[in-house]
RNA sequence: GCCUGGGUGGCGGAACUGGUAGACGCAAGGGACUUAAAAUCCCUCGGAGAUAAUCUCUGUACGAGUUCAAUUCUCGUCCCAGGUACCA
């Protein structure tokens, strides 16, 4: 007998077996219930890291479990292959994004195969292949045709020195990450998808996704950000023109003492024109245009604004109020203009104090009297209306509707709904992406590429460092085309590529028929497999990717291509695997292996020997280099121990700071099971597994073990099926294994052997989704034929889960004072009597009589005596 | 800033709809086996204090509250992570 489990022999053997027998290949089979499990596909960044291992192990366990439960399971894998890192790597390593990407895919595929994941590799896709993005271009054309895609001017980060567009990630404290030039904002014509058309539908269905974690639907709801309010018109003083604002607090309109416009608001320029503030306003707009536009970036800037020199008329008070432009007003939200009520909004309050503007109190909190001169902060709550003409004395909540109606009658307002959600900008001025299939003709304007010309292939030539914006625009043979409508020779192709979120918004449908050539997908295959039953991926995608995917399914639904709207029936958001970052003053971010400890305990860079700074613990990502490659673990312990350990470390939804401490324990456990099975192998050769109720067993040890084994089956099944808490499932099996180690092999009778056989077989079945190679091997040695995958998942006997005794816990004033066991099913009064008669309890109570005795008989039996 | 989570021994974590805090592991210490080592097996292991076995107090980021009973519910504070629309 081999003393130890040898993964280097066992794992390749079974991987070959699965491959030869096409165990994971699936086709549509109407006779079986389908189950589509998908893990978020990886970006091919180089090597897989522990975060991938964790994600894909979780999925693989569920897949193998479902397969044993009799489902026809689709479990595909592919590559989210377009994206910016490929361009950066190509520049840094003087290679081509495609070469870099395909090399990474090959390397990562090998790693995934070594992990023993049960993918149907025949369905593999890579989004950078024309066969894939052709259909995305096709969909773009459909959306264009239906008015779901449109063009407008919008801002990008721009580095004047590099003459290039920068992603938010490439902007570090307002500076270009390559040259440290201050980043500017540049207006470009870009394509947008009208996701806002579906804002309401996306929002209401958040409450109809019972298989999603609440936190994700809450985040999506907040992201969509529906608010009910009013659109109010403020007439511009001296002009026959209005400024329209959106407000959620129409009740405070009498308190609007000034107006703020977004710096990009079209009226800003014309309002300030000819005023003495004109230059100051222009300078301010210029200054703000250099500021970052991301939400987190905006917060870094001090809230400020300038007076435009113009006034408008408050429709309630009919008084003139000054119009400002301010950097905290967003053009994208509402109408790009806000009425400022300093008494009722903290930001407005700060602004008013800063610039000496009027504060007019219109809502008084009950039982208090605010004074505009002395108040130190805005009062944002509800209260009684004051200084509001005929509405004084009203409750402010009731006033909202009443005042909006009043303004509507005056033609100055109406009720409206506003969403925070913005349309999805999909144009990217980058090379490594799917070209947008549109031609710009000087005569015909925007002309869609004829469907027959699809795919518009990405040219092989990659001018990544070309100056002036989109790399593709520098390739004349690509950029200049004949107009398909009028035949003009000098029409221009759109040289932008699509956001990579477009690819990931529909790839799960492509997996249903990955080689289909007549459309995005084969409708028959999608009808069978879709939607995805269980989706698993990092919680960092809670909003963008998951919302875009939901949107895309609505688009396809509207186009009549599918008959469902929600892509993912159940969602498991896995916590992130985190690790500290390390930076060297010279070489920037370092991989873990690039920092070594010196004799005096300092961390230094392996290349320059300078001290390394240890940063915060954040999610693993290639760009921050805080990644751990699983190869070392794989080589030392094999795939199964790596899988077991990554699951045992924490429940899936929890974030995890990566540490390898503890992997020895997983390895030890695997070997404990190995020895346990081999030790019993011959002794139980002729025994059949026991199958009756526990009450049929004559010996107490046999009964106890049988009950424990049944409890374990129940626990593991529920942990996998209901909560995905694999760590506690593994603990439960460990407990059973520990009990089996306590059995005296010499003093074992025939009956016991049948229970041992039952327990061992079930241990292997229960562990097989987690450590499949190992279990296949031992199952075979137990004399079973075929793959363990083909065996049904075990059932437990409901009549064999409980022992005849129950533990009674006795507390006095909530503190544990005594415990005893008694026969199961005792009446409340008997338990109470026993508890009061207990020696320890008597001692504790002395001669004080109990005020109250509470007896709980649920899962626990507990008595609490209140003295 | 805003939205969403999280915080339990030296460490990873457990405790199901409020009911024995620390399951299962790791690390550490002690012991057995061995010529020795590895492997394996057994014991101890939140803190403080008293003891012959045993017992008492205290303890789930911090501060309040609700309750017979709070890691769990409510309010407030601190810290950490994710997202924040061009990282994927």
């Amino acid at each position: 007998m081999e003393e130890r489990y040898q993964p280097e022999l066992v794992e390749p053997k079974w991987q070959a077996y699965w491959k030869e027998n096409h165990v994971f290949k699936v086709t549509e089979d109407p006779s079986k219930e389908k189950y589509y499990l998908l893990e978020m596909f990886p970006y091919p960044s180089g090597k897989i890291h522990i975060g991938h291992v964790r994600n894909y192990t979780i999925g693989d366990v569920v897949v193998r479990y479902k397969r044993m439960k009799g489902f026809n399971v689709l479990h595909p894998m592919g590559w989210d292959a377009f994206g910016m890192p490929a361009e950066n790597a190509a520049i840094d390593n003087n290679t081509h994004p495609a070469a870099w990407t395909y090399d990474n895919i090959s390397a990562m595929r090998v790693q995934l195969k070594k992990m023993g994941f049960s993918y149907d590799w025949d369905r593999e896709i890579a989004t950078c292949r024309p066969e894939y993005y052709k259909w995305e271009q096709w969909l773009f054309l459909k959306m264009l045709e239906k008015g779901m895609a449109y063009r407008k001017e919008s801002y990008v980060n721009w580095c004047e020195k590099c003459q290039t567009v920068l992603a938010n990630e490439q902007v570090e404290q307002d500076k270009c990450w390559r040259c440290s030039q201050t980043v500017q904002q540049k207006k470009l014509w870009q394509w947008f998808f009208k996701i806002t058309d579906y804002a309401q539908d996306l929002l209401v269905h958040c409450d109809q996704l019972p298989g999603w974690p609440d936190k994700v639907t809450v985040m999506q709801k907040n992201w969509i950000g529906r608010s009910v309010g009013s659109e109010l018109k403020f007439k511009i003083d001296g002009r026959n023109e209005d400024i329209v604002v959106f407000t959620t607090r129409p009740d405070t309109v009498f308190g609007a003492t000034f107006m703020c416009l977004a710096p990009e608001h079209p009226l800003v320029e014309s309002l300030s024109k000819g005023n003495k503030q004109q230059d100051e306003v222009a300078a301010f707009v210029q200054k703000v245009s250099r500021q970052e536009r991301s939400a987190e970036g905006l917060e870094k800037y001090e809230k400020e604004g300038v007076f435009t020199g113009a006034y408008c008329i408050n429709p309630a008070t009919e008084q003139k109020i000054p119009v400002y432009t301010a950097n905290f007003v967003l053009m994208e939200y509402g109408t790009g203009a806000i009425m400022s009520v300093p008494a009722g909004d903290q930001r407005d309050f700060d602004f008013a104090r800063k610039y000496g503007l009027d504060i007019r109190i219109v809502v008084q909190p009950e039982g208090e009297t605010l004074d505009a001169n002395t108040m130190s902060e805005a009062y944002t709550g509800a209260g009684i209306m004051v200084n509001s003409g005929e509405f004084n004395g009203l409750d402010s909540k009731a006033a909202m509707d009443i005042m909006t109606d009043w303004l509507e009658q005056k033609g100055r307002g109406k009720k409206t709904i506003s969403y925070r959600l913005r349309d999805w900008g999909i144009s990217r001025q980058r090379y490594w992406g799917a070209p947008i299939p549109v031609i710009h003709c000087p005569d015909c304007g925007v002309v869609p590429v004829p469907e027959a010309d699809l795919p518009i292939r990405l040219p092989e030539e990659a001018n990544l460092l070309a100056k002036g914006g989109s790399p593709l625009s520098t390739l004349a043979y690509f950029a200049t085309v004949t107009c398909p409508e009028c035949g003009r020779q000098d029409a221009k192709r759109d040289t932008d590529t699509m956001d990579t979120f477009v690819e990931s918004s529909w790839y799960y449908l492509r997996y249903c028929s990955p080689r289909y050539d007549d459309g995005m997908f084969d409708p028959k295959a999608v009808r069978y497999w879709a939607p995805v039953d269980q989706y698993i991926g990092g919680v960092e995608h809670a909003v963008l990717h998951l919302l875009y995917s939901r949107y895309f399914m609505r688009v396809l639904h509207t186009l009549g291509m599918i008959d469902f709207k929600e892509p993912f029936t159940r969602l498991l958001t896995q916590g992130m695997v985190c690790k500290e970052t390390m930076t060297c003053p010279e070489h920037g971010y370092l991989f873990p292996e690039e920092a070594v400890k010196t004799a005096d305990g300092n961390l230094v860079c392996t290349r320059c020997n300078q001290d390394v700074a240890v940063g915060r613990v954040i999610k693993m990502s290639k760009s921050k280099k805080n990644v751990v490659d699983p190869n070392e673990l794989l080589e030392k312990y094999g795939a199964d121990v790596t899988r077991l350990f990554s699951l045992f470390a924490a429940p899936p939804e929890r974030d995890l700071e990566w540490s390898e401490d503890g992997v020895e324990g997983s390895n030890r456990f695997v070997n404990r099971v190995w020895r346990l099975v081999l030790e019993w192998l011959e002794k139980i050769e002729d025994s059949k597994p026991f199958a009756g109720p526990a009450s049929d067993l004559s010996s107490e040890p046999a009964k106890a073990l049988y009950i424990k084994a049944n409890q374990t089956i129940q626990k593991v099944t529920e942990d996998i099926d209901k909560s995905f808490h694999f760590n506690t499932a593994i603990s439960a099996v460990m407990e059973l294994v520990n009990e089996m180690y306590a059995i005296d092999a010499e003093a074992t009778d025939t009956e016991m052997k049948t229970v041992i056989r039952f327990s061992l077989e079930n241990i292997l079945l229960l562990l097989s989704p987690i450590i499949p190679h190992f279990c296949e091997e031992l199952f075979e040695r137990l004399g079973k034929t075929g793959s363990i995958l083909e065996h049904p998942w075990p059932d437990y006997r409901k009549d064999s889960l409980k022992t005849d005794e129950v533990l009674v816990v006795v507390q006095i004033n909530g503190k544990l004072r005594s415990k005893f066991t008694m026969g199961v099913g005792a009446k409340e009064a008997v338990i109470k009597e026993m508890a009061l008669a207990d020696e320890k309890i008597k001692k504790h109570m002395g001669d004080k009589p109990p005020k109250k005795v509470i007896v709980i008989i649920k899962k626990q039996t507990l008595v609490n005596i209140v003295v």
Side-chain angles (χ1 to χ4, degrees), chain A residues 14-27 67 73 118-122 787 789-790:
Chain A
W14 289 98
Q15 284 170 18
Y17 176 91
W18 297 330
K19 194 177 167 194
E20 277 156 29
N21 292 280
H22 305 287
V23 178
F24 306 128
K25 189 168 170 56
V26 282
T27 49
R67 218 177 257 130
V73 181
S118 61
Y119 300 119
D120 181 355
W121 281 104
D122 292 347
S787 170
L789 287 161
E790 283 148 22

Side-chain angles (χ1 to χ4, degrees), chain A residues 127-377:
Chain A
T127 56
C128 60
R129 296 198 182 277
E131 308 86 84
Y132 183 83
Y133 65 72
K134 172 183 178 177
W135 296 110
E136 182 166 310
Q137 293 173 335
W138 178 89
L139 182 67
F140 179 93
L141 294 177
K142 276 277 167 272
M143 291 174 72
L144 185 59
E145 186 189 315
K146 302 281 178 192
M148 296 166 159
Y150 69 100
R151 233 157 71 100
K152 73 174 177 191
E153 279 197 296
S154 165
Y155 289 91
V156 292
N157 300 311
W158 177 259
C159 175
E160 190 60 35
K161 196 165 161 193
C162 302
Q163 287 283 300
T164 187
V165 174
L166 298 173
N168 288 341
E169 198 190 41
Q170 297 172 311
V171 180
E172 290 170 348
Q173 281 127 35
D174 287 352
K175 308 267 195 288
C176 170
W177 69 340
R178 282 192 205 282
C179 73
S180 296
Q181 176 92 2
T182 299
V183 171
Q184 307 200 353
Q185 299 300 314
K186 192 176 173 181
K187 233 178 190 179
L188 293 177
W189 278 93
Q190 305 192 60
W191 287 99
F192 284 80
F193 285 157
K194 262 192 179 170
I195 189 172
T196 50
D197 277 355
Y198 292 88
Q200 180 65 15
D201 196 56
L202 287 163
L203 182 72
V204 297
H205 282 89
C206 281
D207 293 325
Q208 292 162 44
L209 288 167
W212 284 39
D214 288 342
K215 62 173 171 184
V216 176
T217 48
V218 168
M219 275 190 267
Q220 292 211 351
K221 282 192 227 173
N222 290 333
W223 183 261
I224 295 167
R226 179 187 148 108
S227 45
V228 178
S230 308
E231 239 173 52
L232 305 180
K233 290 181 190 167
F234 285 57
K235 188 179 165 299
I236 299 169
D237 187 40
R239 284 205 214 183
N240 204 6
E241 204 179 340
D242 293 325
I243 298 174
V244 182
V245 302
F246 173 78
T247 178
T248 55
R249 291 293 303 275
D251 53 314
T252 64
V253 63
F254 280 86
T257 51
F258 60 101
M259 159 83 71
C260 286
L261 303 179
E264 311 93 308
H265 197 287
L267 283 170
V268 169
E269 201 190 331
S270 77
L271 284 178
S272 61
K273 205 166 184 177
N275 298 340
K276 63 173 197 262
Q277 291 86 356
Q278 183 175 350
D279 292 345
E280 201 193 338
V281 170
F284 179 76
V285 170
Q286 182 66 54
K287 176 181 165 191
V288 173
S289 80
R290 279 197 293 271
Q291 296 182 341
E292 261 187 82
R293 315 195 81 71
S294 66
E296 58 177 322
L298 276 177
E299 293 303 327
K300 295 186 302 216
Y301 306 110
E302 199 192 340
K303 313 265 180 287
E304 55 180 356
V306 292
F307 180 40
T308 60
Y311 292 85
C312 64
I313 311 296
N314 182 321
T317 62
E318 307 282 354
Q319 282 168 356
K320 262 169 62 171
I321 61 172
V323 180
Y324 276 68
T325 176
N327 63 348
F328 57 84
V329 184
L330 299 175
M331 196 59 218
E332 291 91 352
Y333 182 70
T335 60
I338 58 169
M339 65 174 207
S340 295
V341 184
D345 181 283
Q346 190 58 39
R347 201 170 47 186
D348 296 347
F349 182 87
D350 296 339
F351 196 88
R353 277 281 146 87
K354 186 168 175 177
Y355 296 105
L357 296 158
D358 287 349
I359 297 173
R360 175 181 169 121
I361 290 162
V362 286
V363 178
Q364 285 285 13
E366 246 166 306
E368 256 182 88
T369 310
L370 296 176
D371 178 349
N373 297 317
T374 57
M375 67 199 285
S376 59
E377 56 179 18

